[in-house]
Amino acid sequence: MKKILSIAVVLAMLLSAVAVFTSCGKTEEGAQDEVVREAVAKEDIKVGFIFLHDENSTYDKNFIDAAVAATEKLGLTEEQVIFKVNVPEGTECYDAAAELADDGCDLIFADSFGHEDFMIEAAKEFPEVVFCHATGTKAHTENLANFYNAFASIYEGRYLVGVAAGLKLNEMIENGDITAEEAKIGYVGAHPYAEVKSGYTSFFLGARSVCPTATMDVKFTNSWFDIALEKEAANALINDGCVLISQHADSEGAPKACEEAGVPNVAYNLDTIMWGPNTALVSSKINWAPYFEHIINAVINGTAIEQDYCYGLEEGSVEILGLNEKVAAEGTVEKLEEVKAALIAGDIKVFDTATFTVNGETLDSYMADVDSDAAFTADTEVISDGYFHESEYRSAPYFDIDIDGINLK
């Protein structure tokens, strides 16, 4: 490698591993932490990105677009930025990370959950390189001085678009298109993981906050990206009586199925009006550009990076996009602004335990698997003050509860 660290820098990096961060990766006073590594001149920095798929996946396209936006805004040249696409969640990820390190990258980022173990392996082998990983769970327990996790409070965005969906259901009821009892949502889920469950539950709670008779069926594809399977799942849900479809899946499959069937669709990561001009309602996404700017600047300036970074609506890390006023119910724009302000102010808690039940009972306690291990051991009490504290004890979601009103198909 191109650098040999001084003993002082190594000691500083080790000390950074025990730095204490509060909820969502924010420091108590929001101040910048102590310098933990040597600064890198902006003209010398080199950044590598590892993506599970390419731009054909809406999930990866969201990361790719953010990486392009952030590096261009910071004035980095093409020679300073390396993209590796279609990198599987296996040893190929370690190989890609090692190649980037050997190519002189000071900072390496990977975007998929299954990349994490291989990024950790590379971080141990290349301690002078900063490794950052999205959706992972292990940074706060691995305690490596050069490995970090990041996510966003996307459940806030999911809740907001759920409100838009609920308003649409109300409009359909008022117009006589469906009865209140027929307000059934369909949801195409990738995998039955906490990340997906957190997303569809927050979406459902947003919908039910304005349409109390709403129910939801969830169908899993067991794949992050499969156009045919996602379209098939959406069609199956529509045929089973679902009158509005949403998804945590990475292609245009579900939006296209909705357009063909004339069923409203709420998407994720991308504005889908191009595929559903008559049915696309709205979308939510994580905006990764602020995080990319943050970690690149931290490496340039030699400043600390949060072990678990998680920001939301207020900071612009969670966004609502593609609101299609041709499809949306009247008053949707105003209602979303009202609810967004309440979420930012803390007046609405997405997982308020007064708004859902499990087997007919209200939860007042729940142990979640926050310090992840192979057995998924529940280790942290996450309900207090009347709500489930999602993404406050680590950045990646850990809400994995099956609540009443949501049926898994």
Side-chain angles (χ1 to χ4, degrees):
M1 285 300 299
K2 65 181 183 180
K3 300 174 186 170
I4 299 175
L5 295 187
S6 69
I7 293 174
V9 173
V10 172
L11 287 174
M13 290 175 70
L14 291 173
L15 286 171
S16 74
V18 297
V20 177
F21 295 93
T22 59
S23 62
C24 285
K26 302 172 186 176
T27 61
E28 279 190 358
E29 298 178 356
Q32 180 62 56
D33 295 279
E34 63 181 302
V35 174
V36 296
R37 64 179 66 83
E38 291 180 338
V40 177
K42 180 179 174 181
E43 60 270 22
D44 294 332
I45 192 172
K46 202 167 184 179
V47 184
F49 293 90
I50 296 172
F51 304 110
L52 179 61
H53 300 111
D54 55 26
E55 290 187 345
N56 290 308
S57 157
T58 59
Y59 175 81
D60 295 274
K61 178 173 171 53
N62 187 40
F63 280 101
I64 292 168
D65 289 348
V68 170
T71 54
E72 287 184 351
K73 180 178 177 181
L74 292 172
L76 302 189
T77 66
E78 290 185 5
E79 290 74 24
Q80 291 177 275
V81 182
I82 304 175
F83 285 2
K84 286 188 176 291
V85 300
N86 296 313
V87 179
E89 296 173 316
T91 56
E92 297 91 344
C93 177
Y94 166 79
D95 293 339
E99 288 171 9
L100 290 168
D102 286 336
D103 282 345
C105 287
D106 304 280
L107 169 65
I108 299 171
F109 173 88
D111 76 345
S112 192
F113 180 79
H115 287 150
E116 182 167 38
D117 287 343
F118 305 97
M119 288 288 282
I120 290 171
E121 182 183 354
K124 291 177 179 177
E125 183 165 342
F126 300 95
E128 69 277 24
V129 177
V130 174
F131 291 84
C132 296
H133 175 253
T135 78
T137 63
K138 297 180 178 179
H140 72 289
T141 50
E142 287 288 327
N143 287 324
L144 289 171
N146 64 327
F147 179 71
Y148 309 94
N149 284 147
F151 208 75
S153 52
I154 187 59
Y155 58 90
E156 297 173 328
R158 296 285 202 175
Y159 185 91
L160 271 176
V161 296
V163 170
L167 293 174
K168 183 64 179 179
L169 292 173
N170 287 342
E171 180 187 71
M172 296 165 75
I173 293 168
E174 292 165 7
N175 290 343
D177 300 324
I178 60 171
T179 66
E181 291 70 31
E182 292 172 330
K184 184 166 72 166
I185 300 166
Y187 197 98
V188 179
H191 294 276
Y193 299 161
E195 179 184 340
V196 179
K197 289 194 173 191
S198 176
Y200 68 62
T201 305
S202 52
F203 170 76
F204 176 69
L205 291 173
R208 188 172 264 193
S209 73
V210 292
C211 182
T213 61
T215 59
M216 190 163 77
D217 289 353
V218 178
K219 195 171 183 63
F220 296 106
T221 63
N222 294 305
S223 169
W224 289 119
F225 176 72
D226 191 308
I227 298 173
L229 279 179
E230 291 162 32
K231 188 173 184 179
E232 180 183 323
N235 281 326
L237 290 163
I238 292 167
N239 291 336
D240 200 31
C242 293
V243 297
L244 184 147
I245 298 293
S246 189
Q247 70 264 353
H248 185 141
D250 295 345
S251 84
E252 70 272 22
K256 284 184 174 179
C258 289
E259 183 71 6
E260 291 170 8
V263 172
N265 173 253
V266 176
Y268 184 42
N269 282 324
L270 196 67
D271 178 350
T272 59
I273 292 176
M274 69 185 87
W275 296 308
N278 303 301
T279 55
L281 174 55
V282 69
S283 182
S284 61
K285 78 165 189 174
I286 296 176
N287 177 13
W288 286 99
Y291 180 66
F292 292 152
E293 291 177 37
H294 175 58
I295 57 177
I296 292 169
N297 278 324
V299 174
I300 290 171
N301 297 320
T303 51
I305 297 170
E306 297 87 339
Q307 203 83 59
D308 263 287
Y309 174 106
C310 184
Y311 288 85
L313 288 167
E314 185 172 9
E315 299 84 6
S317 290
V318 172
E319 293 183 346
I320 305 305
L321 68 158
L323 181 65
N324 188 351
E325 295 194 41
K326 177 181 178 181
V327 177
E330 185 177 351
T332 297
V333 172
E334 295 77 12
K335 184 64 174 178
L336 292 188
E337 286 301 316
E338 172 194 327
V339 176
K340 178 181 177 181
L343 286 166
I344 290 173
D347 297 331
I348 292 177
K349 299 295 185 184
V350 170
F351 296 108
D352 183 337
T353 55
T355 64
F356 66 89
T357 58
V358 178
N359 297 322
E361 301 290 333
T362 299
L363 294 181
D364 58 12
S365 177
Y366 190 76
M367 297 294 289
D369 173 29
V370 174
D371 299 335
S372 293
D373 59 22
F376 303 105
T377 307
D379 51 59
T380 304
E381 174 60 64
V382 292
I383 291 180
S384 62
D385 304 318
Y387 70 100
F388 185 109
H389 290 247
E390 176 68 304
S391 292
E392 293 184 23
Y393 302 113
R394 75 168 191 224
S395 57
Y398 39 81
F399 186 99
D400 60 356
I401 304 169
D402 295 322
I403 73 169
D404 296 334
I406 298 178
N407 308 299
L408 307 184
K409 308 299 283 185

